[in-house]
Amino acid sequence: MDSLIPLFVIIPLGIAFLIPLIWKLIPSVFKYLPATGILFLLVLAFYILIANGNETLIYKVGGWEPVKNVPIGIHLVVDGLAASMLIIINLIGFLAGIYAIPYMKKFTGENYFFVLFSLMVAGMNGVVITGDLFNMFVFLEISVISSYALVAFGSSKDELEASFKYQVLGGIASLLILFALAITYWYTSTLNMSDISHLLKQAPVNKVTIFIQLFLIAGFGLKAALIPFHAWLPDAHSSAPSPISAMLSGVLIKAIGIYALLRLFFNMFRVTYEISIIITLIGVLSMVIGVILAIGQWDMKRLFAYHSISQMGYVIMAAGIAMIILAKGGNRNIAILSLTGGLFHMFNHSVFKGLLFLNAGSVEYATGTRNLKDLGGLSEVLPVTSATSLGASLSISGIPPFNGFFSKLIIIIAAIEGRFYFLALLAVIVSIITLASFMKVQRYAFLDKLKKGGSNIKEVPFLMCFSMIILVILCLVMSLMAIPGIRETFLMPAVNSLISLKM
Amino acid sequence: MLNYILCFVLFLVGLYGVLTRKNIIKIIIGLCIMEYSLNLFFIMIGYIKGGVAPIVDLSSSQNVKYVDPLPQAIVLTAIVIGLATTALLLAIAIKLYKKYKTFDIDKINNLKG
């Protein structure tokens, strides 16, 4: 099974290079290629997670065996967390790929869109499976460069401006990450992650490792758009075509921001108390400020984009609480509970935020606007869109029995058990404000009275409805992951690869 | 040690340029300066005083010092990535100029809030 790992990069990359050829020869087929390839990878990722659970698969690129226990060459590693991330990336990638088939008809240059889309998926899969620091940087650049181009895809004034902002801040972030990698290589003389973690976990914490960690927080914080590094996200995520917004908000900021941050801080470094305080503080700030900025927005996609910042704040706060408890040598079980909540919320967020952006895309597709003031009464003419968006709204605001409720509940319970009463209170308040802002969306867009000339609006094509319906079903089904029995198969392998469950 | 400090100063010069300049092209140049300083840093990490290029020559004596080849490979990759980023940035800059008729970042401010 180890030999299947490179397929996660090879298939989307191969499709990206095949599309320009096939587009000339058989123009009707190329649209379906990305979705088909990604569906195969989704099945493969599920198979790896269920069959391998807590084990770690390693593929040595080029067959270079370690010499005297020093790894040479690049290793591709799939453990529990990587397998879960692969499932999420390929799931949202598959559904966004299907959704894009009718949605992109109004744009010119569809073939370029699908090429860039496949490249982005290839880059994200690569970031998740790689076990080599510089290789991670290369895959990260593949995915972000294609996302820069995709944000500017409509090439109107707003999209170009958003893309330029995104590129400059993303470029600074990449260079900060590269600088941190250079210092890491200088200090440890290796780029293999497990090798570095052997060296750094034993060595005492000194100025060099703290310097590296601060650079990594700034770099990946910029990529994940945590406050105070958030300025690019609302522009970029609201300007992109809707399937791409779903990919950017749903998976990109997680795969190249949060995942990389958690992977490096839990598995590579010995995290000190001060660093974990900084991470928790950034998380809490994102959670609170993100939602306050969101509630005043009238552009649907912009409102959703600000909520992405706020919900990522939950994930980082939960991870930060786990780090504080581990650094102080407190109760391990609370740390595990907190991290479980954080990761669970991350997986849930990619499903419901992906769905919300697809809903916004459908509204824009059917009515031609996404300004909440110009909409109204769409539940009569767009039944599928309005029903699915209601599910997603309840899910993100944490209403049972949707999945968002369970992950927020786990985070809040962990915060209370770890005696972070103030943070638990903030989490509850932010959840209530989230509910308020989504009631605003429902009230102005879907309920209310239909605007003049609104009766001509037709429901979106079948393939777009299909993606949305699958996602709203997942919003309900994923809450089962909190139940003991199912939890051990799907959720705990991911936690286990960050904090070892056995002591 | 001085050369490392100068390299870091070069990085900060680039960052200063990105943060303070108003002209889009100058911002892009700032990003390039940052990138070159990092390439320089990588090469300096791998350098050994008196080291030669890392091509093993069996006929020469055993105690030849080689410089580290890995940073050189990394810099090659980083240059290619930098090329892609700069090309895309410049393409966007040209498109922006066509739409707004200016390179001034203060006048390109449609998106707010």
Side-chain angles (χ1 to χ4, degrees), chain A residues 375-415:
Chain A
L375 296 169
L378 292 178
S379 60
E380 295 167 30
V381 284
L382 297 174
V384 177
T385 308
S386 77
T388 50
S389 97
L390 183 65
S393 302
L394 293 179
S395 192
I396 195 175
S397 342
I399 307 290
F402 287 94
N403 54 8
F405 169 73
F406 294 98
S407 48
K408 281 186 186 174
L409 188 69
I410 295 174
I411 293 174
I412 291 166
I413 289 174

